Amino acid sequence: MFKVLFLLSAIVVSGSVAIPAAVPASSFVLIGDSTTANGTTENSGGWGNGFCGSNAVSPAVPSALEPNTPCINTAKNGATTGTFVANGYFDISIKAIKAEVAKGRKTYATIQFGHNDQKVATPESMGANLTAMVKQVRSAGGEPILVTPLTRRTFNSANQISDSLGPWADQTKLIAQQQNTHVLDLNAASIKYCNAIGPDACHRLNRSPTDNTHLNQGGTIVFGRMVADLMTASFPNQLPIIANPDLTRNISLGIPSF
Ligand SMILES: *[C@@H]1O[C@H](CO)[C@@H](O)[C@H](O)[C@H]1NC(C)=O
Ligand SMILES: *[C@@H]1O[C@H](CO)[C@@H](O)[C@H](O)[C@H]1NC(C)=O
Ligand SMILES: *[C@@H]1O[C@H](CO)[C@@H](O)[C@H](O)[C@H]1NC(C)=O
């Protein structure tokens, strides 16, 4: 009995020593297209709701962030890096970043494009636009995080993902290297996971059975967590992210959650 108590108190003491210092007050602003956006209509719905959480959808989606962490999803359905700026959405993102920075909060801005850029111009054109965005996020006081595009859930006859976004992911990584930003390789991680769980389980994350681009509730939870885990790996012990060991384990072992 004494021995057990002694061991327990030893654990408590070493546990208290191991508690990491509190992370700084932080905010998140999401920038991108429909594969990030929190839309509830057809042809929309990305990982943003699963990352930020939302009570506006039913059933409500829990946040991957600690309570009272602002998470402002400014992503827009159909946007390219060109139209996002031209139609004024990027101004909204920059205003949101400045407002959070003004409150003394460390403000992270994720930037993910490719799905629509791919329809209008070259990867290099997107790259130039991403570079401009990174610079503007920095001058607004934010910390840019480039994100490679979430895969489309289209499979070939060998039941492997056949994704056309590789050059867009590569371009995003190139800009991250050139501009010295963090980058989350969501494209590679989402391809790896869908290849592991196979077409049926991967398509259960679709917004509608034939929509291989947008996400339902399960999809936003899974890919929101995938982004949270990539961020944790990129900024260890610096972010107010709530762990979800069960879901993280499913993702890393390639087990379907839904
Ligand atoms: C989507 O995000 C916007 C901006 O943060 C917010 O005003 C809106 O309530 C969100 N909608 C849903 C369904 O979560
Ligand atoms: C980049 O932005 C320009 C406008 O500045 C636009 O013409 C071009 O289509 C954009 N490129 C992509 C890939 O969206
Ligand atoms: C993990 O996967 C198992 C098996 O599919 C499932 O029962 C469980 O709900 C999943 N956990 C989470 C948190 O999604």
Side-chain angles (χ1 to χ4, degrees), residues 28-39 44-55 57 61-65 70-76 110 112 147 150 186 214-217 219-228 231:
F28 294 81
V29 174
L30 312 188
I31 296 168
D33 56 31
S34 62
T35 62
T36 301
N38 65 2
S44 69
W47 55 262
N49 270 346
F51 183 78
C52 298
S54 177
N55 294 323
V57 290
V61 180
S63 177
L65 300 166
C71 188
I72 304 153
N73 192 348
T74 66
K76 184 66 188 165
T110 65
Q112 185 211 303
V147 183
L150 179 72
L186 179 61
H214 304 104
L215 303 170
N216 60 16
Q217 302 293 89
T220 196
I221 290 169
V222 165
F223 293 111
R225 173 54 51 181
M226 188 177 281
V227 170
M231 267 196 205

mmCIF file of all heavy atoms in Angstrom, residues 28-39 44-55 57 61-65 70-76 110 112 147 150 186 214-217 219-228 231:
data_model
loop_
_atom_site.group_PDB
_atom_site.id
_atom_site.type_symbol
_atom_site.label_atom_id
_atom_site.label_comp_id
_atom_site.label_asym_id
_atom_site.label_seq_id
_atom_site.Cartn_x
_atom_site.Cartn_y
_atom_site.Cartn_z
ATOM 1 N N PHE A 28 -6.699 31.928 -34.976
ATOM 2 C CA PHE A 28 -6.490 31.310 -36.284
ATOM 3 C C PHE A 28 -7.408 31.969 -37.306
ATOM 4 O O PHE A 28 -8.584 32.216 -37.029
ATOM 5 C CB PHE A 28 -6.777 29.799 -36.219
ATOM 6 C CG PHE A 28 -5.791 29.058 -35.360
ATOM 7 C CD1 PHE A 28 -5.934 29.053 -33.972
ATOM 8 C CD2 PHE A 28 -4.696 28.418 -35.919
ATOM 9 C CE1 PHE A 28 -5.004 28.409 -33.164
ATOM 10 C CE2 PHE A 28 -3.763 27.768 -35.117
ATOM 11 C CZ PHE A 28 -3.918 27.762 -33.739
ATOM 12 N N VAL A 29 -6.869 32.238 -38.482
ATOM 13 C CA VAL A 29 -7.666 32.744 -39.600
ATOM 14 C C VAL A 29 -7.415 31.786 -40.762
ATOM 15 O O VAL A 29 -6.255 31.494 -41.091
ATOM 16 C CB VAL A 29 -7.254 34.189 -39.964
ATOM 17 C CG1 VAL A 29 -7.980 34.662 -41.217
ATOM 18 C CG2 VAL A 29 -7.531 35.141 -38.790
ATOM 19 N N LEU A 30 -8.492 31.264 -41.346
ATOM 20 C CA LEU A 30 -8.350 30.305 -42.444
ATOM 21 C C LEU A 30 -8.632 30.995 -43.773
ATOM 22 O O LEU A 30 -9.619 31.715 -43.914
ATOM 23 C CB LEU A 30 -9.305 29.117 -42.274
ATOM 24 C CG LEU A 30 -9.353 28.433 -40.901
ATOM 25 C CD1 LEU A 30 -10.198 27.155 -40.967
ATOM 26 C CD2 LEU A 30 -7.980 28.125 -40.360
ATOM 27 N N ILE A 31 -7.747 30.752 -44.746
ATOM 28 C CA ILE A 31 -7.835 31.362 -46.071
ATOM 29 C C ILE A 31 -7.806 30.226 -47.087
ATOM 30 O O ILE A 31 -6.949 29.336 -46.995
ATOM 31 C CB ILE A 31 -6.630 32.315 -46.289
ATOM 32 C CG1 ILE A 31 -6.690 33.489 -45.291
ATOM 33 C CG2 ILE A 31 -6.562 32.813 -47.735
ATOM 34 C CD1 ILE A 31 -5.410 34.316 -45.218
ATOM 35 N N GLY A 32 -8.735 30.224 -48.050
ATOM 36 C CA GLY A 32 -8.714 29.147 -49.038
ATOM 37 C C GLY A 32 -9.994 29.073 -49.841
ATOM 38 O O GLY A 32 -10.768 30.035 -49.909
ATOM 39 N N ASP A 33 -10.221 27.894 -50.428
ATOM 40 C CA ASP A 33 -11.414 27.658 -51.261
ATOM 41 C C ASP A 33 -12.418 26.788 -50.493
ATOM 42 O O ASP A 33 -12.343 26.671 -49.266
ATOM 43 C CB ASP A 33 -10.979 27.036 -52.600
ATOM 44 C CG ASP A 33 -10.181 25.754 -52.418
ATOM 45 O OD1 ASP A 33 -10.423 25.023 -51.428
ATOM 46 O OD2 ASP A 33 -9.302 25.470 -53.258
ATOM 47 N N SER A 34 -13.330 26.160 -51.230
ATOM 48 C CA SER A 34 -14.395 25.389 -50.563
ATOM 49 C C SER A 34 -13.870 24.187 -49.784
ATOM 50 O O SER A 34 -14.574 23.681 -48.912
ATOM 51 C CB SER A 34 -15.397 24.894 -51.602
ATOM 52 O OG SER A 34 -14.753 24.023 -52.519
ATOM 53 N N THR A 35 -12.659 23.723 -50.066
ATOM 54 C CA THR A 35 -12.161 22.561 -49.336
ATOM 55 C C THR A 35 -11.643 22.946 -47.947
ATOM 56 O O THR A 35 -11.267 22.086 -47.158
ATOM 57 C CB THR A 35 -11.078 21.795 -50.133
ATOM 58 O OG1 THR A 35 -9.955 22.637 -50.362
ATOM 59 C CG2 THR A 35 -11.624 21.336 -51.482
ATOM 60 N N THR A 36 -11.648 24.266 -47.671
ATOM 61 C CA THR A 36 -11.398 24.778 -46.325
ATOM 62 C C THR A 36 -12.682 25.387 -45.749
ATOM 63 O O THR A 36 -12.919 25.319 -44.545
ATOM 64 C CB THR A 36 -10.302 25.875 -46.355
ATOM 65 O OG1 THR A 36 -9.100 25.333 -46.884
ATOM 66 C CG2 THR A 36 -10.028 26.430 -44.967
ATOM 67 N N ALA A 37 -13.528 25.956 -46.615
ATOM 68 C CA ALA A 37 -14.694 26.740 -46.190
ATOM 69 C C ALA A 37 -15.664 25.933 -45.336
ATOM 70 O O ALA A 37 -15.727 24.705 -45.426
ATOM 71 C CB ALA A 37 -15.416 27.299 -47.410
ATOM 72 N N ASN A 38 -16.457 26.646 -44.539
ATOM 73 C CA ASN A 38 -17.389 25.987 -43.627
ATOM 74 C C ASN A 38 -18.810 25.938 -44.186
ATOM 75 O O ASN A 38 -19.751 25.744 -43.424
ATOM 76 C CB ASN A 38 -17.374 26.685 -42.266
ATOM 77 C CG ASN A 38 -17.905 28.110 -42.340
ATOM 78 O OD1 ASN A 38 -18.319 28.560 -43.394
ATOM 79 N ND2 ASN A 38 -17.891 28.800 -41.217
ATOM 80 N N GLY A 39 -18.972 26.154 -45.464
ATOM 81 C CA GLY A 39 -20.302 26.264 -46.068
ATOM 82 C C GLY A 39 -21.196 25.076 -45.793
ATOM 83 O O GLY A 39 -20.742 23.962 -45.574
ATOM 84 N N SER A 44 -19.964 22.730 -51.220
ATOM 85 C CA SER A 44 -19.131 23.433 -50.249
ATOM 86 C C SER A 44 -18.890 22.493 -49.080
ATOM 87 O O SER A 44 -19.450 21.402 -49.024
ATOM 88 C CB SER A 44 -19.810 24.715 -49.782
ATOM 89 O OG SER A 44 -20.928 24.404 -49.000
ATOM 90 N N GLY A 45 -18.085 22.936 -48.161
ATOM 91 C CA GLY A 45 -17.799 22.137 -46.985
ATOM 92 C C GLY A 45 -16.411 21.548 -47.038
ATOM 93 O O GLY A 45 -16.151 20.609 -47.778
ATOM 94 N N GLY A 46 -15.507 22.147 -46.236
ATOM 95 C CA GLY A 46 -14.136 21.665 -46.179
ATOM 96 C C GLY A 46 -13.755 21.297 -44.753
ATOM 97 O O GLY A 46 -14.626 21.021 -43.925
ATOM 98 N N TRP A 47 -12.442 21.358 -44.463
ATOM 99 C CA TRP A 47 -11.967 20.911 -43.151
ATOM 100 C C TRP A 47 -12.101 21.993 -42.073
ATOM 101 O O TRP A 47 -11.873 21.721 -40.889
ATOM 102 C CB TRP A 47 -10.523 20.408 -43.240
ATOM 103 C CG TRP A 47 -9.530 21.388 -43.833
ATOM 104 C CD1 TRP A 47 -9.088 21.419 -45.124
ATOM 105 C CD2 TRP A 47 -8.861 22.474 -43.162
ATOM 106 N NE1 TRP A 47 -8.191 22.450 -45.295
ATOM 107 C CE2 TRP A 47 -8.028 23.104 -44.107
ATOM 108 C CE3 TRP A 47 -8.874 22.958 -41.852
ATOM 109 C CZ2 TRP A 47 -7.232 24.214 -43.778
ATOM 110 C CZ3 TRP A 47 -8.085 24.069 -41.523
ATOM 111 C CH2 TRP A 47 -7.274 24.686 -42.487
ATOM 112 N N GLY A 48 -12.467 23.216 -42.474
ATOM 113 C CA GLY A 48 -12.511 24.334 -41.521
ATOM 114 C C GLY A 48 -13.403 24.096 -40.317
ATOM 115 O O GLY A 48 -13.010 24.355 -39.182
ATOM 116 N N ASN A 49 -14.611 23.579 -40.537
ATOM 117 C CA ASN A 49 -15.517 23.345 -39.411
ATOM 118 C C ASN A 49 -14.941 22.318 -38.440
ATOM 119 O O ASN A 49 -15.128 22.434 -37.230
ATOM 120 C CB ASN A 49 -16.890 22.855 -39.897
ATOM 121 C CG ASN A 49 -17.852 24.000 -40.172
ATOM 122 O OD1 ASN A 49 -17.597 25.132 -39.770
ATOM 123 N ND2 ASN A 49 -18.938 23.715 -40.850
ATOM 124 N N GLY A 50 -14.272 21.306 -38.974
ATOM 125 C CA GLY A 50 -13.702 20.282 -38.101
ATOM 126 C C GLY A 50 -12.536 20.831 -37.293
ATOM 127 O O GLY A 50 -12.248 20.355 -36.197
ATOM 128 N N PHE A 51 -11.868 21.840 -37.809
ATOM 129 C CA PHE A 51 -10.736 22.454 -37.106
ATOM 130 C C PHE A 51 -11.238 23.508 -36.117
ATOM 131 O O PHE A 51 -10.883 23.496 -34.945
ATOM 132 C CB PHE A 51 -9.781 23.079 -38.124
ATOM 133 C CG PHE A 51 -8.556 23.672 -37.512
ATOM 134 C CD1 PHE A 51 -7.502 22.854 -37.100
ATOM 135 C CD2 PHE A 51 -8.439 25.039 -37.345
ATOM 136 C CE1 PHE A 51 -6.365 23.402 -36.515
ATOM 137 C CE2 PHE A 51 -7.308 25.596 -36.773
ATOM 138 C CZ PHE A 51 -6.271 24.780 -36.358
ATOM 139 N N CYS A 52 -12.088 24.426 -36.617
ATOM 140 C CA CYS A 52 -12.581 25.528 -35.770
ATOM 141 C C CYS A 52 -13.733 25.086 -34.874
ATOM 142 O O CYS A 52 -13.993 25.694 -33.842
ATOM 143 C CB CYS A 52 -13.104 26.683 -36.626
ATOM 144 S SG CYS A 52 -11.903 27.472 -37.702
ATOM 145 N N GLY A 53 -14.499 24.070 -35.312
ATOM 146 C CA GLY A 53 -15.750 23.713 -34.643
ATOM 147 C C GLY A 53 -16.871 24.596 -35.135
ATOM 148 O O GLY A 53 -16.631 25.690 -35.650
ATOM 149 N N SER A 54 -18.098 24.122 -35.029
ATOM 150 C CA SER A 54 -19.243 24.928 -35.435
ATOM 151 C C SER A 54 -20.497 24.430 -34.753
ATOM 152 O O SER A 54 -20.782 23.235 -34.736
ATOM 153 C CB SER A 54 -19.437 24.866 -36.948
ATOM 154 O OG SER A 54 -20.595 25.595 -37.308
ATOM 155 N N ASN A 55 -21.245 25.402 -34.175
ATOM 156 C CA ASN A 55 -22.561 25.085 -33.624
ATOM 157 C C ASN A 55 -23.642 25.387 -34.640
ATOM 158 O O ASN A 55 -24.814 25.127 -34.399
ATOM 159 C CB ASN A 55 -22.837 25.919 -32.362
ATOM 160 C CG ASN A 55 -21.877 25.535 -31.256
ATOM 161 O OD1 ASN A 55 -21.545 24.365 -31.112
ATOM 162 N ND2 ASN A 55 -21.429 26.516 -30.491
ATOM 163 N N VAL A 57 -23.977 24.085 -37.521
ATOM 164 C CA VAL A 57 -24.352 22.916 -38.313
ATOM 165 C C VAL A 57 -24.905 21.862 -37.363
ATOM 166 O O VAL A 57 -24.642 21.891 -36.161
ATOM 167 C CB VAL A 57 -23.148 22.355 -39.112
ATOM 168 C CG1 VAL A 57 -22.757 23.299 -40.214
ATOM 169 C CG2 VAL A 57 -21.962 22.085 -38.208
ATOM 170 N N VAL A 61 -20.242 20.407 -34.654
ATOM 171 C CA VAL A 61 -18.909 19.826 -34.818
ATOM 172 C C VAL A 61 -18.006 20.409 -33.730
ATOM 173 O O VAL A 61 -17.921 21.632 -33.588
ATOM 174 C CB VAL A 61 -18.335 20.178 -36.215
ATOM 175 C CG1 VAL A 61 -16.962 19.577 -36.395
ATOM 176 C CG2 VAL A 61 -19.276 19.695 -37.302
ATOM 177 N N PRO A 62 -17.357 19.570 -32.938
ATOM 178 C CA PRO A 62 -16.486 20.094 -31.886
ATOM 179 C C PRO A 62 -15.226 20.736 -32.459
ATOM 180 O O PRO A 62 -14.737 20.327 -33.513
ATOM 181 C CB PRO A 62 -16.131 18.861 -31.048
ATOM 182 C CG PRO A 62 -16.315 17.695 -31.961
ATOM 183 C CD PRO A 62 -17.351 18.087 -32.989
ATOM 184 N N SER A 63 -14.708 21.730 -31.755
ATOM 185 C CA SER A 63 -13.484 22.394 -32.191
ATOM 186 C C SER A 63 -12.270 21.554 -31.824
ATOM 187 O O SER A 63 -12.273 20.841 -30.830
ATOM 188 C CB SER A 63 -13.382 23.765 -31.525
ATOM 189 O OG SER A 63 -12.164 24.386 -31.878
ATOM 190 N N ALA A 64 -11.227 21.653 -32.628
ATOM 191 C CA ALA A 64 -9.949 21.016 -32.295
ATOM 192 C C ALA A 64 -9.108 21.942 -31.415
ATOM 193 O O ALA A 64 -7.991 21.594 -31.061
ATOM 194 C CB ALA A 64 -9.189 20.675 -33.574
ATOM 195 N N LEU A 65 -9.661 23.135 -31.096
ATOM 196 C CA LEU A 65 -8.902 24.146 -30.361
ATOM 197 C C LEU A 65 -9.438 24.311 -28.942
ATOM 198 O O LEU A 65 -10.621 24.060 -28.683
ATOM 199 C CB LEU A 65 -8.996 25.490 -31.096
ATOM 200 C CG LEU A 65 -8.437 25.467 -32.520
ATOM 201 C CD1 LEU A 65 -8.870 26.712 -33.285
ATOM 202 C CD2 LEU A 65 -6.916 25.356 -32.478
ATOM 203 N N PRO A 70 -10.202 32.144 -30.854
ATOM 204 C CA PRO A 70 -10.880 32.580 -32.078
ATOM 205 C C PRO A 70 -10.352 31.821 -33.296
ATOM 206 O O PRO A 70 -9.145 31.616 -33.430
ATOM 207 C CB PRO A 70 -10.531 34.073 -32.170
ATOM 208 C CG PRO A 70 -10.187 34.472 -30.771
ATOM 209 C CD PRO A 70 -9.549 33.252 -30.159
ATOM 210 N N CYS A 71 -11.274 31.394 -34.139
ATOM 211 C CA CYS A 71 -10.911 30.654 -35.346
ATOM 212 C C CYS A 71 -11.860 31.155 -36.427
ATOM 213 O O CYS A 71 -13.047 30.838 -36.418
ATOM 214 C CB CYS A 71 -11.065 29.157 -35.092
ATOM 215 S SG CYS A 71 -10.420 28.128 -36.433
ATOM 216 N N ILE A 72 -11.362 31.987 -37.290
ATOM 217 C CA ILE A 72 -12.209 32.722 -38.235
ATOM 218 C C ILE A 72 -11.979 32.157 -39.627
ATOM 219 O O ILE A 72 -10.888 32.287 -40.184
ATOM 220 C CB ILE A 72 -11.870 34.228 -38.163
ATOM 221 C CG1 ILE A 72 -12.032 34.722 -36.715
ATOM 222 C CG2 ILE A 72 -12.759 35.027 -39.109
ATOM 223 C CD1 ILE A 72 -11.169 35.899 -36.365
ATOM 224 N N ASN A 73 -13.016 31.509 -40.136
ATOM 225 C CA ASN A 73 -12.881 30.826 -41.429
ATOM 226 C C ASN A 73 -13.321 31.777 -42.539
ATOM 227 O O ASN A 73 -14.502 31.989 -42.758
ATOM 228 C CB ASN A 73 -13.729 29.559 -41.425
ATOM 229 C CG ASN A 73 -13.419 28.664 -42.614
ATOM 230 O OD1 ASN A 73 -12.747 29.082 -43.553
ATOM 231 N ND2 ASN A 73 -13.914 27.449 -42.573
ATOM 232 N N THR A 74 -12.348 32.353 -43.254
ATOM 233 C CA THR A 74 -12.664 33.299 -44.327
ATOM 234 C C THR A 74 -12.570 32.643 -45.706
ATOM 235 O O THR A 74 -12.636 33.340 -46.727
ATOM 236 C CB THR A 74 -11.730 34.531 -44.279
ATOM 237 O OG1 THR A 74 -10.389 34.129 -44.558
ATOM 238 C CG2 THR A 74 -11.770 35.221 -42.935
ATOM 239 N N ALA A 75 -12.399 31.326 -45.740
ATOM 240 C CA ALA A 75 -12.284 30.627 -47.033
ATOM 241 C C ALA A 75 -13.591 30.760 -47.817
ATOM 242 O O ALA A 75 -14.661 30.870 -47.234
ATOM 243 C CB ALA A 75 -11.948 29.164 -46.814
ATOM 244 N N LYS A 76 -13.477 30.711 -49.140
ATOM 245 C CA LYS A 76 -14.636 31.003 -49.992
ATOM 246 C C LYS A 76 -14.795 29.944 -51.091
ATOM 247 O O LYS A 76 -13.839 29.657 -51.819
ATOM 248 C CB LYS A 76 -14.437 32.390 -50.634
ATOM 249 C CG LYS A 76 -15.589 32.863 -51.451
ATOM 250 C CD LYS A 76 -16.811 33.113 -50.590
ATOM 251 C CE LYS A 76 -18.048 33.399 -51.430
ATOM 252 N NZ LYS A 76 -19.294 33.298 -50.647
ATOM 253 N N THR A 110 -3.769 30.113 -42.077
ATOM 254 C CA THR A 110 -3.535 29.034 -43.040
ATOM 255 C C THR A 110 -3.952 29.513 -44.428
ATOM 256 O O THR A 110 -4.926 30.256 -44.575
ATOM 257 C CB THR A 110 -4.332 27.764 -42.690
ATOM 258 O OG1 THR A 110 -5.736 28.039 -42.814
ATOM 259 C CG2 THR A 110 -4.020 27.266 -41.288
ATOM 260 N N GLN A 112 -4.588 27.820 -48.225
ATOM 261 C CA GLN A 112 -4.649 26.604 -49.052
ATOM 262 C C GLN A 112 -5.459 26.851 -50.322
ATOM 263 O O GLN A 112 -6.650 27.174 -50.261
ATOM 264 C CB GLN A 112 -5.299 25.455 -48.271
ATOM 265 C CG GLN A 112 -5.270 24.132 -49.048
ATOM 266 C CD GLN A 112 -6.454 23.228 -48.738
ATOM 267 O OE1 GLN A 112 -6.683 22.877 -47.596
ATOM 268 N NE2 GLN A 112 -7.207 22.857 -49.768
ATOM 269 N N VAL A 147 -0.673 25.467 -46.822
ATOM 270 C CA VAL A 147 -1.255 24.125 -46.718
ATOM 271 C C VAL A 147 -1.433 23.594 -48.139
ATOM 272 O O VAL A 147 -2.000 24.284 -49.000
ATOM 273 C CB VAL A 147 -2.634 24.174 -46.007
ATOM 274 C CG1 VAL A 147 -3.195 22.768 -45.835
ATOM 275 C CG2 VAL A 147 -2.533 24.884 -44.654
ATOM 276 N N LEU A 150 -6.085 19.600 -50.076
ATOM 277 C CA LEU A 150 -6.759 18.341 -49.715
ATOM 278 C C LEU A 150 -7.000 17.532 -50.984
ATOM 279 O O LEU A 150 -7.449 18.070 -51.998
ATOM 280 C CB LEU A 150 -8.102 18.685 -49.066
ATOM 281 C CG LEU A 150 -8.998 17.534 -48.626
ATOM 282 C CD1 LEU A 150 -8.408 16.852 -47.390
ATOM 283 C CD2 LEU A 150 -10.406 18.048 -48.311
ATOM 284 N N LEU A 186 -0.993 18.598 -46.432
ATOM 285 C CA LEU A 186 -2.307 17.957 -46.329
ATOM 286 C C LEU A 186 -2.584 17.074 -47.540
ATOM 287 O O LEU A 186 -3.255 16.054 -47.430
ATOM 288 C CB LEU A 186 -3.381 19.047 -46.194
ATOM 289 C CG LEU A 186 -4.823 18.573 -46.096
ATOM 290 C CD1 LEU A 186 -5.043 17.681 -44.867
ATOM 291 C CD2 LEU A 186 -5.784 19.767 -46.051
ATOM 292 N N HIS A 214 -16.032 17.780 -51.650
ATOM 293 C CA HIS A 214 -16.464 18.423 -50.407
ATOM 294 C C HIS A 214 -16.778 17.385 -49.325
ATOM 295 O O HIS A 214 -16.937 16.199 -49.634
ATOM 296 C CB HIS A 214 -17.670 19.329 -50.708
ATOM 297 C CG HIS A 214 -17.350 20.328 -51.779
ATOM 298 N ND1 HIS A 214 -17.797 20.201 -53.085
ATOM 299 C CD2 HIS A 214 -16.557 21.420 -51.753
ATOM 300 C CE1 HIS A 214 -17.314 21.196 -53.816
ATOM 301 N NE2 HIS A 214 -16.551 21.951 -53.031
ATOM 302 N N LEU A 215 -16.854 17.865 -48.088
ATOM 303 C CA LEU A 215 -16.899 16.962 -46.935
ATOM 304 C C LEU A 215 -18.220 17.026 -46.181
ATOM 305 O O LEU A 215 -18.813 18.104 -46.039
ATOM 306 C CB LEU A 215 -15.772 17.335 -45.962
ATOM 307 C CG LEU A 215 -14.353 17.328 -46.537
ATOM 308 C CD1 LEU A 215 -13.375 17.951 -45.542
ATOM 309 C CD2 LEU A 215 -13.932 15.910 -46.904
ATOM 310 N N ASN A 216 -18.653 15.881 -45.655
ATOM 311 C CA ASN A 216 -19.780 15.855 -44.715
ATOM 312 C C ASN A 216 -19.236 16.035 -43.287
ATOM 313 O O ASN A 216 -18.044 16.331 -43.105
ATOM 314 C CB ASN A 216 -20.578 14.554 -44.893
ATOM 315 C CG ASN A 216 -19.731 13.307 -44.639
ATOM 316 O OD1 ASN A 216 -18.643 13.402 -44.052
ATOM 317 N ND2 ASN A 216 -20.222 12.165 -45.081
ATOM 318 N N GLN A 217 -20.105 15.839 -42.276
ATOM 319 C CA GLN A 217 -19.672 16.058 -40.880
ATOM 320 C C GLN A 217 -18.473 15.178 -40.536
ATOM 321 O O GLN A 217 -17.505 15.640 -39.936
ATOM 322 C CB GLN A 217 -20.805 15.737 -39.900
ATOM 323 C CG GLN A 217 -22.085 16.511 -40.090
ATOM 324 C CD GLN A 217 -21.927 17.964 -39.780
ATOM 325 O OE1 GLN A 217 -21.576 18.730 -40.674
ATOM 326 N NE2 GLN A 217 -22.198 18.369 -38.568
ATOM 327 N N GLY A 219 -16.329 13.864 -42.538
ATOM 328 C CA GLY A 219 -15.170 14.309 -43.319
ATOM 329 C C GLY A 219 -14.515 15.541 -42.711
ATOM 330 O O GLY A 219 -13.279 15.629 -42.642
ATOM 331 N N THR A 220 -15.343 16.492 -42.260
ATOM 332 C CA THR A 220 -14.745 17.709 -41.699
ATOM 333 C C THR A 220 -14.051 17.389 -40.378
ATOM 334 O O THR A 220 -12.993 17.939 -40.058
ATOM 335 C CB THR A 220 -15.778 18.854 -41.576
ATOM 336 O OG1 THR A 220 -15.072 20.081 -41.388
ATOM 337 C CG2 THR A 220 -16.750 18.689 -40.439
ATOM 338 N N ILE A 221 -14.608 16.451 -39.621
ATOM 339 C CA ILE A 221 -13.973 16.064 -38.345
ATOM 340 C C ILE A 221 -12.632 15.370 -38.613
ATOM 341 O O ILE A 221 -11.617 15.706 -37.996
ATOM 342 C CB ILE A 221 -14.929 15.167 -37.526
ATOM 343 C CG1 ILE A 221 -16.112 16.002 -37.027
ATOM 344 C CG2 ILE A 221 -14.187 14.497 -36.367
ATOM 345 C CD1 ILE A 221 -17.253 15.200 -36.426
ATOM 346 N N VAL A 222 -12.623 14.435 -39.558
ATOM 347 C CA VAL A 222 -11.386 13.682 -39.837
ATOM 348 C C VAL A 222 -10.297 14.607 -40.396
ATOM 349 O O VAL A 222 -9.166 14.631 -39.901
ATOM 350 C CB VAL A 222 -11.658 12.530 -40.825
ATOM 351 C CG1 VAL A 222 -10.357 11.972 -41.399
ATOM 352 C CG2 VAL A 222 -12.447 11.421 -40.139
ATOM 353 N N PHE A 223 -10.652 15.394 -41.429
ATOM 354 C CA PHE A 223 -9.602 16.202 -42.060
ATOM 355 C C PHE A 223 -9.271 17.453 -41.229
ATOM 356 O O PHE A 223 -8.144 17.958 -41.296
ATOM 357 C CB PHE A 223 -9.972 16.520 -43.510
ATOM 358 C CG PHE A 223 -9.967 15.278 -44.369
ATOM 359 C CD1 PHE A 223 -11.143 14.750 -44.875
ATOM 360 C CD2 PHE A 223 -8.776 14.602 -44.622
ATOM 361 C CE1 PHE A 223 -11.144 13.578 -45.645
ATOM 362 C CE2 PHE A 223 -8.760 13.434 -45.380
ATOM 363 C CZ PHE A 223 -9.945 12.919 -45.896
ATOM 364 N N GLY A 224 -10.233 17.945 -40.422
ATOM 365 C CA GLY A 224 -9.918 19.020 -39.469
ATOM 366 C C GLY A 224 -8.885 18.539 -38.457
ATOM 367 O O GLY A 224 -7.946 19.254 -38.100
ATOM 368 N N ARG A 225 -9.055 17.294 -37.999
ATOM 369 C CA ARG A 225 -8.075 16.712 -37.067
ATOM 370 C C ARG A 225 -6.738 16.479 -37.757
ATOM 371 O O ARG A 225 -5.676 16.698 -37.180
ATOM 372 C CB ARG A 225 -8.639 15.413 -36.478
ATOM 373 C CG ARG A 225 -7.681 14.599 -35.633
ATOM 374 C CD ARG A 225 -7.022 15.390 -34.490
ATOM 375 N NE ARG A 225 -7.958 16.110 -33.659
ATOM 376 C CZ ARG A 225 -7.607 16.871 -32.617
ATOM 377 N NH1 ARG A 225 -6.338 17.008 -32.257
ATOM 378 N NH2 ARG A 225 -8.531 17.531 -31.940
ATOM 379 N N MET A 226 -6.792 16.058 -39.010
ATOM 380 C CA MET A 226 -5.540 15.832 -39.747
ATOM 381 C C MET A 226 -4.742 17.145 -39.824
ATOM 382 O O MET A 226 -3.520 17.162 -39.592
ATOM 383 C CB MET A 226 -5.859 15.318 -41.153
ATOM 384 C CG MET A 226 -4.660 14.860 -41.944
ATOM 385 S SD MET A 226 -5.162 14.187 -43.558
ATOM 386 C CE MET A 226 -5.721 12.563 -43.117
ATOM 387 N N VAL A 227 -5.424 18.252 -40.112
ATOM 388 C CA VAL A 227 -4.753 19.557 -40.143
ATOM 389 C C VAL A 227 -4.215 19.898 -38.756
ATOM 390 O O VAL A 227 -3.065 20.347 -38.606
ATOM 391 C CB VAL A 227 -5.714 20.657 -40.653
ATOM 392 C CG1 VAL A 227 -5.105 22.037 -40.457
ATOM 393 C CG2 VAL A 227 -6.053 20.429 -42.130
ATOM 394 N N ALA A 228 -5.034 19.660 -37.715
ATOM 395 C CA ALA A 228 -4.595 19.963 -36.339
ATOM 396 C C ALA A 228 -3.330 19.161 -36.005
ATOM 397 O O ALA A 228 -2.385 19.695 -35.410
ATOM 398 C CB ALA A 228 -5.706 19.640 -35.343
ATOM 399 N N MET A 231 -0.356 20.541 -37.807
ATOM 400 C CA MET A 231 0.076 21.789 -37.158
ATOM 401 C C MET A 231 0.844 21.516 -35.885
ATOM 402 O O MET A 231 1.873 22.148 -35.622
ATOM 403 C CB MET A 231 -1.151 22.632 -36.809
ATOM 404 C CG MET A 231 -1.515 23.611 -37.861
ATOM 405 S SD MET A 231 -2.627 24.800 -37.131
ATOM 406 C CE MET A 231 -3.431 25.290 -38.630
#
